[in-house]
Amino acid sequence: MKTTIKILFLSGLLWLMALSCAQNNTVSPNPPKSDTITVATFPNQIGDRWTYSVFDSTTLKTQTVLVKIIGDTVFSNNEKFKIWEYFYPDKRDTAYVNIVGDTVNFNFKSGFYNTKYTFPLYVGKSWLSGKSGSTHSSTVEKIESLTVPAGTFKDCYQIKTTIAGYNYVLITENWFMPKIGFIQHHINKRSFGPADIQIWKLVNYNLVNQN
């Protein structure tokens, strides 16, 4: 009986320690004074637009996708969002984006892909997001120079996001350039079949508040 109690006590103690560690890793504390980027550097104005070259491993084709902020909308809970429209050659998709405090929220129709970016950004910072039934985790991996068709951009923040659900994993790597937006996306979808990989590279952009 005493042995059983000891085992249960030690198991409970280990569980609490693990939970504590997970909570502490949700958002990294004490950001460095240098290399930090605030939410004010995230473009989200009506008229902002980005054009990407998108390669899809499933079709082995490259297509051009225009992303444009076309207006405002209000959800049923009175929360305001900007409407981001994605113009593909054969379809359109929509994201709803708003900024609340230091957080940029991306919402899609399905809800499963909803994610957020918590500012300020700095290497090593991580956070959790996502809806019930799935796990979303994001980490700022590094800062690096990146060359795409639109040019060479220094000090891009590489953010890795993992979204996991039942028999499904989506891993995205997004390179964010302050005051410009996303320079590149690597999207890796895995389910029952072969992986579907997309590579987005910025071709050109036009921002309302472009300096």
Side-chain angles (χ1 to χ4, degrees), residues 1-13:
M1 182 65 179
K2 290 182 178 180
T3 302
T4 301
I5 293 174
K6 287 181 179 179
I7 293 173
L8 291 173
F9 174 77
L10 290 173
S11 298
L13 183 61

Side-chain angles (χ1 to χ4, degrees), residues 43-57:
N44 191 34
Q45 299 295 322
I46 295 175
D48 289 349
R49 56 192 297 161
W50 303 263
T51 301
Y52 294 91
S53 171
V54 181
F55 172 78
D56 192 311
S57 68

